[in-house]
PDB file of all heavy atoms in Angstrom:
ATOM      1  N   LEU A  19     109.927  99.388 125.978  1.00 98.00           N
ATOM      2  CA  LEU A  19     108.518  99.666 126.216  1.00 98.00           C
ATOM      3  C   LEU A  19     107.702  98.385 126.120  1.00 98.00           C
ATOM      4  O   LEU A  19     107.995  97.514 125.302  1.00 98.00           O
ATOM      5  CB  LEU A  19     107.993 100.671 125.183  1.00 98.00           C
ATOM      6  CG  LEU A  19     108.594 102.073 125.240  1.00 98.00           C
ATOM      7  CD1 LEU A  19     108.215 102.863 124.008  1.00 98.00           C
ATOM      8  CD2 LEU A  19     108.140 102.789 126.498  1.00 98.00           C
ATOM      9  N   ARG A  20     106.680  98.287 126.945  1.00 98.00           N
ATOM     10  CA  ARG A  20     105.734  97.177 126.873  1.00 98.00           C
ATOM     11  C   ARG A  20     104.666  97.519 125.840  1.00 98.00           C
ATOM     12  O   ARG A  20     104.481  98.695 125.484  1.00 98.00           O
ATOM     13  CB  ARG A  20     105.072  96.942 128.225  1.00 98.00           C
ATOM     14  CG  ARG A  20     106.055  96.577 129.336  1.00 98.00           C
ATOM     15  CD  ARG A  20     105.377  96.575 130.685  1.00 98.00           C
ATOM     16  NE  ARG A  20     104.854  97.929 130.930  1.00 98.00           N
ATOM     17  CZ  ARG A  20     103.962  98.238 131.855  1.00 98.00           C
ATOM     18  NH1 ARG A  20     103.470  97.315 132.647  1.00 98.00           N
ATOM     19  NH2 ARG A  20     103.554  99.473 132.008  1.00 98.00           N
ATOM     20  N   LEU A  21     103.943  96.502 125.375  1.00 98.00           N
ATOM     21  CA  LEU A  21     102.829  96.749 124.460  1.00 98.00           C
ATOM     22  C   LEU A  21     101.866  97.769 125.059  1.00 98.00           C
ATOM     23  O   LEU A  21     101.412  98.687 124.384  1.00 98.00           O
ATOM     24  CB  LEU A  21     102.086  95.445 124.151  1.00 98.00           C
ATOM     25  CG  LEU A  21     102.761  94.472 123.201  1.00 98.00           C
ATOM     26  CD1 LEU A  21     102.036  93.138 123.211  1.00 98.00           C
ATOM     27  CD2 LEU A  21     102.797  95.039 121.795  1.00 98.00           C
ATOM     28  N   ARG A  22     101.576  97.584 126.334  1.00 98.00           N
ATOM     29  CA  ARG A  22     100.636  98.485 127.024  1.00 98.00           C
ATOM     30  C   ARG A  22     101.167  99.914 127.048  1.00 98.00           C
ATOM     31  O   ARG A  22     100.393 100.866 126.883  1.00 98.00           O
ATOM     32  CB  ARG A  22     100.401  97.981 128.454  1.00 98.00           C
ATOM     33  CG  ARG A  22      99.419  98.805 129.228  1.00 98.00           C
ATOM     34  CD  ARG A  22      98.009  98.532 128.744  1.00 98.00           C
ATOM     35  NE  ARG A  22      97.072  99.361 129.486  1.00 98.00           N
ATOM     36  CZ  ARG A  22      96.070 100.008 128.933  1.00 98.00           C
ATOM     37  NH1 ARG A  22      95.835  99.895 127.656  1.00 98.00           N
ATOM     38  NH2 ARG A  22      95.266 100.738 129.647  1.00 98.00           N
ATOM     39  N   ASP A  23     102.456 100.094 127.235  1.00 98.00           N
ATOM     40  CA  ASP A  23     103.058 101.433 127.222  1.00 98.00           C
ATOM     41  C   ASP A  23     102.815 102.119 125.877  1.00 98.00           C
ATOM     42  O   ASP A  23     102.402 103.275 125.822  1.00 98.00           O
ATOM     43  CB  ASP A  23     104.568 101.363 127.468  1.00 98.00           C
ATOM     44  CG  ASP A  23     104.934 100.798 128.827  1.00 98.00           C
ATOM     45  OD1 ASP A  23     104.152 100.960 129.779  1.00 98.00           O
ATOM     46  OD2 ASP A  23     106.015 100.179 128.917  1.00 98.00           O
ATOM     47  N   VAL A  24     103.084 101.385 124.805  1.00 98.00           N
ATOM     48  CA  VAL A  24     102.907 101.959 123.462  1.00 98.00           C
ATOM     49  C   VAL A  24     101.434 102.256 123.220  1.00 98.00           C
ATOM     50  O   VAL A  24     101.079 103.306 122.673  1.00 98.00           O
ATOM     51  CB  VAL A  24     103.490 101.035 122.371  1.00 98.00           C
ATOM     52  CG1 VAL A  24     103.209 101.584 120.984  1.00 98.00           C
ATOM     53  CG2 VAL A  24     104.992 100.859 122.579  1.00 98.00           C
ATOM     54  N   ALA A  25     100.565 101.354 123.639  1.00 98.00           N
ATOM     55  CA  ALA A  25      99.124 101.579 123.476  1.00 98.00           C
ATOM     56  C   ALA A  25      98.711 102.885 124.147  1.00 98.00           C
ATOM     57  O   ALA A  25      97.985 103.703 123.557  1.00 98.00           O
ATOM     58  CB  ALA A  25      98.336 100.400 124.045  1.00 98.00           C
ATOM     59  N   LEU A  26      99.168 103.099 125.370  1.00 98.00           N
ATOM     60  CA  LEU A  26      98.840 104.339 126.078  1.00 98.00           C
ATOM     61  C   LEU A  26      99.414 105.562 125.377  1.00 98.00           C
ATOM     62  O   LEU A  26      98.741 106.594 125.262  1.00 98.00           O
ATOM     63  CB  LEU A  26      99.358 104.264 127.521  1.00 98.00           C
ATOM     64  CG  LEU A  26      98.633 103.265 128.426  1.00 98.00           C
ATOM     65  CD1 LEU A  26      99.388 103.099 129.741  1.00 98.00           C
ATOM     66  CD2 LEU A  26      97.194 103.693 128.674  1.00 98.00           C
ATOM     67  N   LEU A  27     100.640 105.461 124.888  1.00 98.00           N
ATOM     68  CA  LEU A  27     101.278 106.593 124.211  1.00 98.00           C
ATOM     69  C   LEU A  27     100.545 107.002 122.943  1.00 98.00           C
ATOM     70  O   LEU A  27     100.509 108.192 122.598  1.00 98.00           O
ATOM     71  CB  LEU A  27     102.733 106.260 123.877  1.00 98.00           C
ATOM     72  CG  LEU A  27     103.697 106.218 125.056  1.00 98.00           C
ATOM     73  CD1 LEU A  27     105.033 105.633 124.606  1.00 98.00           C
ATOM     74  CD2 LEU A  27     103.880 107.605 125.654  1.00 98.00           C
ATOM     75  N   VAL A  28      99.972 106.038 122.235  1.00 98.00           N
ATOM     76  CA  VAL A  28      99.301 106.354 120.963  1.00 98.00           C
ATOM     77  C   VAL A  28      97.788 106.451 121.096  1.00 98.00           C
ATOM     78  O   VAL A  28      97.082 106.621 120.110  1.00 98.00           O
ATOM     79  CB  VAL A  28      99.700 105.368 119.836  1.00 98.00           C
ATOM     80  CG1 VAL A  28     101.187 105.399 119.596  1.00 98.00           C
ATOM     81  CG2 VAL A  28      99.210 103.966 120.110  1.00 98.00           C
ATOM     82  N   GLY A  29      97.293 106.334 122.346  1.00 98.00           N
ATOM     83  CA  GLY A  29      95.866 106.538 122.576  1.00 98.00           C
ATOM     84  C   GLY A  29      94.988 105.340 122.291  1.00 98.00           C
ATOM     85  O   GLY A  29      93.796 105.499 122.011  1.00 98.00           O
TER      86      GLY A  29
END
Side-chain angles (χ1 to χ4, degrees):
L19 295 168
R20 299 171 300 165
L21 285 169
R22 182 74 181 137
D23 297 330
V24 176
L26 291 170
L27 288 170
V28 301

